[in-house]
Amino acid sequence: MKLRFYGIGDHSSAPRPAPATRTWMDETRDAFAYRCLPLNIANAHGWEIVCPVAFSAKWNGGAGLGDVDIRSAAESFLQPASMFGHGVLTFHVNGLFRTDPGWNLFASGPPNSPKDGIYPLSGVIETDWAPYTFTMNWRFTRPDHWISFDEGEPFCFVFPVQRGLLDKIEPEFHLLSSAPDLQAQYEAWSRERNKFSDRLTVVDSAEQKERWQKRYYRGLDMREKPGVGDHEAKLRLPEFVDKRPPSAVSAEQQHRKPLPIFFRKVVELSRIKHAKLGLVRNQYGFAATTSLIPLVVSELAHAAPYYPIAFSANDPPRPFCVVGALPGINQHVNADGNWRPGYYIPVAVRRYPFITIVSRDNPNTLILGIDETATQLDPSAPDKLFSNGEMTALCRDELEFCAAVATAFEQTDLLFEPLTRMGLLMPSRNVTPGRIAARFCMSSLRVIDPERLAALPEATRATWKANGLLAVLEAQVASARNWEQLLALEDAISLGTAGPSDFTPGANAHQRPGESGSRSQPSGSSKD
């Protein structure tokens, strides 16, 4: 049969085959959970629809639509919503499924993938005729508890079911003794299983070496004969074949070209169109829903005293300042857009809403661009971008600063390229508190393994000491002490004990007395 998915809008993507793996199953001793074949088959028994963006959400226990707090750095139409009240969180499926006549679609959450604090609701949809989209809904199981989904994490799991088949089934209840052959095989299995379990604890026994019985996994009955001819020991579903015209695929790829963090609509700064704009300083509300902020290599030492620092799983790995342990929540920006006083502010934050872009007229020239959606760009702001048709000193400084930041990010990628190749990275859960380590949004982060760093060849250590890389990596290792502080701050915010007094205006760590504020060096320099 055919299963078709018709995407709606620029942000729809094809469902993907569900994997048989689960993180919690990977982490069981000797991965023993995978010995359960029914579990494996259920995991892969359908296709997944994944979150286009990361977010966090909390329900306060009320019945109203406004009783669910949703935090995300993404545009609102990409986020889930509170549409039904009573602690129900609604995800939109940006497309229509079409099944063959007589086939429905069963929709639920990913099986065997429990999520603390929220539970997926299930539905059956007649997708062989309905011209309507459906929503996937999850219901909170307790109030005042943050839950999170990461970008690319599945929120919906679907598979076809034949309509009317259940109605035609004729259920019957019998005594096992009425089926002598079945009873004999069951009793033989039961005796063997008890004996096997008893002897598992006997050192060097055959049972201990075998570890588990595999008859069901192999599809064999107690006579070592195949139970059925089409026994499934694994299930790997096909990918959705892309039937879109090439022009549509090309347009989508162009549309999805990622912008740097915080930016949504980058345009060339125009002395005509933007002549009246000014810059509102020291407002960081745009960063309030971002929990991971990229760093350049020269600022790791400045950030390490204040935040945990971790690396992405990319190659090359990229360093991030962890300002929140849940997607969509920056614990260091308050409702007024103020950054926590005394704390270092990364250059990726300080350069916004400006960025260098390539000139359309001369590909070899960098010009200043802006995020046209930025609220900091305001005609009423006193610090103007243009005066008498010419860039002000503010704009010229921004161009110099942004060019330095762009170069610094390129240098960072080059400098950290050896980390993966030399095996210096380990999962962040090795150093994070258990409550943070268990979160999906933290699962891909990496940190430096201090033992492997200490065991580097002397020649490598000497080279890295000379170029400053060793000190940078040691700063990242030292930043691990900030994970507990991050968790304590999260708890204080959730309990309402972190109040406005924590954001009393004051100098931030990158604003030092007497500092010139030069934009030529991103590390520790002040843009404000």
Side-chain angles (χ1 to χ4, degrees), residues 10-314:
D10 295 328
H11 294 275
S12 65
S13 58
R16 69 187 187 192
T21 56
R22 295 290 185 270
T23 301
W24 70 265
M25 294 173 67
D26 295 337
E27 295 173 349
T28 55
R29 186 180 64 255
D30 298 325
F32 73 81
Y34 290 106
R35 300 172 192 172
C36 179
L37 183 57
L39 205 64
N40 297 345
I41 296 297
N43 290 348
H45 200 262
W47 289 264
E48 297 175 335
I49 306 172
V50 302
C51 291
V53 297
F55 73 92
S56 294
K58 182 173 71 171
W59 175 49
N60 67 11
L65 300 184
D67 291 324
V68 176
D69 182 4
I70 301 169
R71 308 278 185 91
S72 176
E75 296 179 76
S76 59
F77 70 90
L78 293 173
Q79 303 174 28
S82 175
M83 297 177 62
F84 304 110
H86 301 279
V88 174
L89 186 67
T90 299
F91 294 79
H92 294 281
V93 177
N94 294 317
L96 287 165
F97 282 96
R98 188 58 88 231
T99 46
D100 284 355
W103 286 84
N104 298 333
L105 207 63
F106 187 98
S108 188
N112 304 316
S113 224
K115 203 166 191 68
D116 186 28
I118 197 165
Y119 185 84
L121 307 181
S122 302
V124 177
I125 308 103
E126 294 184 357
T127 45
D128 56 346
W129 68 270
Y132 321 118
T133 60
F134 64 87
T135 59
M136 176 63 207
N137 298 285
W138 291 61
R139 191 172 189 275
F140 285 89
T141 57
R142 68 179 186 273
D144 300 321
H145 172 76
W146 283 105
I147 64 93
S148 65
F149 281 76
D150 206 1
E151 180 179 350
E153 182 178 354
F155 67 86
C156 185
F157 181 93
V158 299
F159 59 90
V161 290
Q162 192 169 7
R163 187 164 61 246
L165 179 62
L166 292 178
D167 296 339
K168 298 173 183 175
I169 291 176
E170 300 177 1
E172 297 179 348
F173 180 56
H174 296 267
L175 292 175
L176 181 58
S177 57
S178 66
D181 183 66
L182 179 59
Q183 182 179 24
Q185 292 209 54
Y186 162 74
E187 291 175 349
W189 167 79
S190 184
R191 290 191 299 270
E192 182 186 83
R193 183 180 180 87
N194 290 338
K195 179 182 176 183
F196 188 92
S197 298
D198 290 342
R199 291 185 56 80
L200 269 178
T201 58
V202 177
V203 177
D204 290 332
S205 66
E207 288 79 6
Q208 195 173 73
K209 293 176 181 178
E210 189 177 359
R211 298 192 300 172
W212 57 296
Q213 295 172 292
K214 305 178 180 69
R215 279 200 179 86
Y216 180 81
Y217 204 101
R218 295 169 176 166
L220 301 176
D221 64 15
M222 289 303 294
R223 299 185 182 92
E224 300 293 332
K225 294 181 179 179
V228 291
D230 56 354
H231 169 72
E232 289 183 326
K234 68 176 182 178
L235 182 61
R236 300 294 183 267
L237 301 185
E239 301 270 356
F240 276 71
V241 178
D242 196 337
K243 294 291 188 177
R244 297 172 297 171
S247 58
V249 177
S250 176
E252 179 193 59
Q253 291 171 345
Q254 182 67 27
H255 179 82
R256 292 187 178 181
K257 185 177 180 180
L259 290 170
I261 190 170
F262 307 128
F263 289 88
R264 294 188 176 182
K265 186 181 179 182
V266 174
V267 298
E268 179 180 333
L269 184 63
S270 167
R271 69 186 67 213
I272 297 173
K273 185 177 180 181
H274 306 126
K276 297 181 179 180
L277 289 182
L279 178 65
V280 179
R281 296 179 181 270
N282 301 318
Q283 282 295 308
Y284 304 105
F286 63 89
T289 54
T290 301
S291 57
L292 300 174
I293 298 175
L295 297 170
V296 299
V297 64
S298 54
E299 62 177 335
L300 260 73
H302 297 280
Y306 305 97
Y307 314 102
I309 295 172
F311 290 92
S312 69
N314 303 68

